[in-house]
Amino acid sequence: MPFGGSYAAPMAYELNITSGNYTKKTNGDPALGPILSALPPTLFIQSIADMGRFTAADTAQGIRFSEADSYCTLDDKCDPDFSIRKCWTCFIALYFLYSLLGVYLDNILADDMGVRKPYHYFLLPSYWGLSHAQATDTVSVVERSTDEDVLAEEAEAQARANQPMSAASAIEVRGIRATFQRGNKVFHAVKGPWYSVGKRQLFALLGPNGAGKTTTINMLTGFLPPSGGNALVCGESIAQAGGMARI
């Protein structure tokens, strides 16, 4: 039914006394209709209302699919800009629009680990696999070990700095660091270790609580971005965008 009052709601119409024809009301906000059409419930209610009006009477013929546009005229008290066909076409467009928006927000908003991509991540060639992430390996140890076996492992790993991953390795940790701020104090959870994990081998991180075991795993699996350093997993760097996506 036509909307009453001095202000015209969207999708409203009125009878022209001179011509006897129905016309769209123009004393409302012209932007309100397009804005409401971006809300799926509005389009759904409009479609249901049209189907109800054309099927309510015993003699009503209903609306055939081929008439999804032609049934809707101002003379029939229906806004042609919001016919059933146009409403459902808008539904499909909104489905893809909101899906893309959801994917975008899922990437740029921080997750439980505080990880998020930059706002322009989809413009980066590395995100689409068109280029490989490059990272420079720098030997920077926060706290040097005194264990001879650890030092020997570090020296072997540091000899491959800025070189491709060894064919015998599944993971190469190259000075990866995780640093957190606690008030005015800086806390180093992972202090730049260097080591490799061979293919088809079991590997375990041992240490007391707070040694950085979980933090290291979180960085290697992409849940937490490293504060510095690098690590290669299956030949891909985790230090830059797109690396984990290809692992």
Side-chain angles (χ1 to χ4, degrees):
M1 296 180 64
F3 291 89
S6 60
Y7 183 84
M11 310 175 196
Y13 46 87
E14 61 187 349
L15 180 64
N16 188 310
I17 301 177
T18 303
S19 64
N21 297 324
Y22 283 97
T23 58
K24 293 185 67 174
K25 287 188 176 182
T26 58
N27 60 327
D29 188 349
L32 193 55
I35 292 175
L36 288 177
S37 65
L39 304 175
T42 303
L43 300 176
F44 180 74
I45 292 172
Q46 176 67 17
S47 300
I48 293 298
D50 283 355
M51 287 188 287
R53 287 196 303 108
F54 283 85
T55 58
D58 294 338
T59 58
Q61 299 296 318
I63 302 175
R64 295 180 176 85
F65 187 79
S66 60
E67 301 171 343
D69 255 335
S70 60
Y71 83 92
C72 191
T73 64
L74 288 173
D75 290 338
D76 286 328
K77 302 179 182 179
C78 179
D79 188 344
D81 291 339
F82 295 94
S83 65
I84 290 179
R85 185 187 299 277
K86 290 178 180 176
C87 284
W88 284 93
T89 300
C90 216
F91 268 135
I92 297 174
L94 290 175
Y95 168 79
F96 289 104
L97 174 63
Y98 289 145
S99 295
L100 291 174
L101 180 62
V103 172
Y104 178 73
L105 293 177
D106 185 57
N107 280 279
I108 67 170
L109 297 179
D111 59 16
D112 293 339
M113 301 294 297
V115 180
R116 67 178 183 85
K117 291 184 174 66
Y119 295 108
H120 62 288
Y121 74 92
F122 57 91
L123 298 177
L124 301 175
S126 58
Y127 176 76
W128 301 101
L130 301 178
S131 67
H132 288 276
Q134 301 293 327
T136 301
D137 299 328
T138 303
V139 178
S140 176
V141 181
V142 177
E143 182 179 332
R144 184 170 297 277
S145 174
T146 57
D147 188 281
E148 294 184 358
D149 292 334
V150 173
L151 293 175
E153 174 70 14
E154 284 186 346
E156 182 179 350
Q158 290 171 359
R160 295 193 296 273
N162 296 311
Q163 296 182 11
M165 187 174 180
S166 172
S169 299
I171 300 173
E172 287 188 1
V173 176
R174 300 181 175 184
I176 195 170
R177 300 190 305 277
T179 304
F180 302 97
Q181 190 83 18
R182 291 182 176 177
N184 296 325
K185 295 183 179 180
V186 175
F187 172 70
H188 299 285
V190 180
K191 304 176 180 179
W194 289 73
Y195 57 87
S196 61
V197 180
K199 292 181 178 178
R200 295 188 173 89
Q201 292 183 1
L202 294 176
F203 182 81
L205 293 174
L206 300 178
N209 292 338
K213 305 182 295 298
T214 302
T215 304
T216 299
I217 295 299
N218 286 336
M219 289 190 292
L220 293 177
T221 54
F223 286 103
L224 183 69
S227 303
N230 190 22
L232 301 179
V233 179
C234 299
E236 299 290 347
S237 171
I238 69 168
Q240 303 223 359
M244 290 303 301
R246 292 188 295 271
I247 295 176

